[in-house]
Amino acid sequence: MSHHADTTDLRARVADVLPGLRSDLEDLVRIESVSADPARADEVRRSAEAVRALLAAEGMDTEVVSIEGGAPAVIGHRAGPEGAPTVLLYAHHDVQPENDHADWDSPPFEPTERDSPSGRRLFARGAADDKAGIVAHLGALRVFGDDLPVSVTVFVEGEEEVGSETLPALLAAHQERLRADVIVIADSGNWDVGVPALTTSLRGLVRADVEVRTLTHAVHSGMWGGLVPDALMTLSRLISTLHDDAGDVAVAGLHAGPAADVDYPEERLRAESGAAPGTRWIGSGSAVERLWTKPSLSITGLDAPKVEGASNTLVPAARARISLRIAPGDTTENAAARLTEHLEQHVAWGAELSVRITDTGEATQIDATGPAYDAARAAFAEAWDGTEPIDMGVGGSIPFIAEFLEAFPRASVLVTGVEDPDTRAHGANEGLHLAEFERVVLAETLLLARLAEAGRPTA
């Protein structure tokens, strides 16, 4: 791949396969594979079958697999030259619910091309997250045709948007078929339109439901107010102890670390976050530290009487849902224990407290050094006309990356993707930036060629 002619040739071939890829993407997007909606389970199955057919058409041995109670996933495999490394390409075919159709400028499952401030986009639910990931993998296979330089396994999951519950069991059941030297996970994003990125850290998640009870039943606020604490006041007081005055998380014993030295311009933070004009940022440290490598804590739900029609009584019990993002280097076990301790130590007035951990996902820190990462960086820089990729963190959690690292500890895991800051992956008007998508396909093609050159890792 060192000769310029090779790259020129690959660029031309990517341009050749692009119209077909676009039409395959549109077909996949029209399938409403919303994994969170039981009424659309047939659509999720149809989506898996469509992916299987696309991979089979590229000469892959394919199968739709699932674990009892889980959604259908697709595994495809094609052997490359003797002795070449094996690359596992991951994406997912399920999509987020589209929510209110009125919020969309075009029907959510009817792919529509329009201008956006940063260039032409294809708008539809799943057009980026993550059907474009599937189609990028397909594109790399198509470009090479019969001359695949490495062995390739494609693994397309069907329940990523609902938490990948059966993924560990799937990985265990098909471990031999999924074993690879390099794993490419196409479900993240780039730093900006025109700036590629490798995702090297992701926060983990601990969700807890907290209930505070001060009375066995509601009582009159006039008769008992001033002596008996009501549960809402008590819960509010407890919630307020979770941050210090600067807005940093005040739970002792949580891990925090340094982040890459990346400037996140204020106007981009304002535009991308949707923060109201007067809202000030919370916490301390650089913006990317606060978003990527320090814990964050949000209250995402509250159970309490509605204001409209509330009776004049002391509320006996109140509940809050706490969403705690934990920094890379921390564990969910530590974070859940520290959070619970904090709540127990800070609940006022002897109120009864119950803390239930409802969901956890481990954080990920990837040591992005070695030949596979060198190959990836070179491929990205080439596909983006000399712009070097940055190593970025992601504030959100993709717990399955930790599952992959656990299942295949010796593999190099490359986390990439098709998203950019204006993709709106889970919102209305999700859109795929078409020029960036072409670069993603080219980068993956170059990556496979470079991984073939690097050869198999010596263990």
Side-chain angles (χ1 to χ4, degrees):
M1 272 325 303
S2 40
H3 326 304
H4 186 66
D6 288 341
T7 305
T8 314
D9 182 35
L10 284 180
R11 270 180 202 272
R13 280 195 266 170
V14 167
D16 286 346
V17 301
L18 217 58
L21 291 175
R22 163 80 176 266
S23 114
D24 289 333
L25 175 59
E26 294 191 1
D27 290 345
L28 285 178
V29 160
R30 290 188 180 101
I31 303 173
E32 303 184 14
S33 52
V34 179
S35 50
D37 181 2
R40 289 189 269 194
D42 283 349
E43 286 284 275
V44 177
R45 262 193 296 279
R46 195 159 75 87
S47 171
E49 195 42 58
V51 170
R52 191 204 65 74
L54 285 168
L55 295 176
E58 300 308 315
M60 296 198 113
D61 294 327
T62 58
E63 193 188 348
V64 174
V65 298
S66 61
I67 296 289
E68 185 71 35
V74 184
I75 299 176
H77 181 75
R78 207 171 125 200
E82 187 68 38
T86 299
V87 183
L88 175 68
L89 306 175
Y90 168 96
H92 63 88
H93 68 90
D94 64 318
V95 298
Q96 280 281 328
E98 73 280 20
N99 300 323
D100 189 351
H101 288 221
D103 294 338
W104 289 75
D105 297 335
S106 51
F109 295 101
E110 186 43 58
T112 309
E113 184 180 330
R114 288 196 299 281
D115 265 328
S116 80
S118 56
R120 301 292 287 175
R121 285 182 191 266
L122 184 67
F123 290 93
R125 172 57 85 231
D129 182 15
D130 188 34
K131 289 175 178 175
I134 302 171
V135 176
H137 296 331
L138 199 61
L141 291 168
R142 262 182 213 169
V143 163
F144 288 114
D146 294 334
D147 299 321
L148 200 56
V150 291
S151 291
V152 174
T153 303
V154 178
F155 177 53
V156 182
E157 192 199 353
E159 54 182 33
E160 194 276 337
E161 299 294 9
V162 286
S164 303
E165 294 223 342
T166 68
L167 181 66
L170 263 178
L171 293 180
H174 302 282
Q175 187 150 13
E176 280 318 305
R177 299 169 66 185
L178 296 172
R179 191 177 296 286
D181 302 302
V182 179
I183 299 171
V184 179
I185 293 180
D187 190 29
S188 185
N190 287 309
W191 176 239
D192 204 351
V193 170
V195 184
L198 272 177
T199 298
T200 55
S201 76
L202 298 107
R203 288 194 292 198
L205 172 70
V206 173
R207 263 209 305 260
D209 288 351
V210 178
E211 183 177 82
V212 166
R213 178 175 285 280
T214 56
L215 287 149
T216 53
H217 58 88
V219 294
H220 190 281
S221 65
M223 304 290 286
W224 294 104
L227 187 67
V228 182
D230 72 79
L232 262 179
M233 180 179 68
T234 309
L235 177 63
S236 306
R237 203 179 173 99
L238 179 57
I239 287 172
S240 72
T241 68
L242 292 166
H243 290 88
D244 64 19
D245 290 344
D248 282 305
V249 178
V251 176
L254 296 178
H255 179 77
D261 183 19
V262 177
D263 181 42
Y264 205 142
E266 178 70 17
E267 62 279 7
R268 245 186 86 182
L269 285 169
R270 287 274 157 206
E272 290 166 23
S273 67
T279 304
R280 294 201 300 271
W281 308 129
I282 55 173
S284 56
S286 74
V288 292
E289 277 173 351
R290 281 177 266 179
L291 292 170
W292 299 346
T293 59
K294 292 182 72 169
S296 72
L297 189 149
S298 316
I299 306 300
T300 56
L302 211 52
D303 283 350
K306 286 189 167 35
V307 170
E308 193 64 42
S311 71
N312 216 353
T313 53
L314 301 183
V315 174
R319 279 198 322 158
R321 174 159 290 180
I322 294 176
S323 174
L324 172 64
R325 299 283 170 170
I326 64 171
D330 212 340
T331 63
T332 55
E333 189 183 5
N334 174 64
R338 299 294 81 80
L339 175 62
T340 305
E341 262 166 30
H342 177 98
L343 293 165
E344 285 166 350
Q345 283 163 8
H346 290 82
V347 65
W349 301 311
E352 267 175 43
L353 172 79
S354 76
V355 179
R356 197 166 69 85
I357 305 294
T358 56
D359 193 19
T360 60
E362 296 300 337
T364 300
Q365 180 74 57
I366 295 171
D367 171 21
T369 56
Y373 298 96
D374 296 343
R377 290 193 176 97
F380 278 120
E382 213 167 322
W384 269 266
D385 304 320
T387 304
E388 292 289 331
I390 75 157
D391 282 4
M392 65 180 250
V394 169
S397 313
I398 310 184
F400 73 76
I401 294 174
E403 314 272 8
F404 271 101
L405 288 165
E406 203 170 304
F408 306 109
R410 303 231 320 254
S412 301
V413 177
L414 303 171
V415 183
T416 70
V418 295
E419 296 176 25
D420 63 79
D422 203 31
T423 298
R424 305 181 189 191
H426 291 186
N429 300 311
E430 173 182 349
L432 173 70
H433 192 286
L434 291 164
E436 288 293 278
F437 178 67
E438 182 168 2
R439 291 198 181 105
V440 167
V441 177
L442 177 61
E444 187 158 315
T445 307
L446 291 165
L447 172 63
L448 296 185
R450 285 176 177 273
L451 288 171
E453 277 187 1
R456 297 194 58 176
T458 47

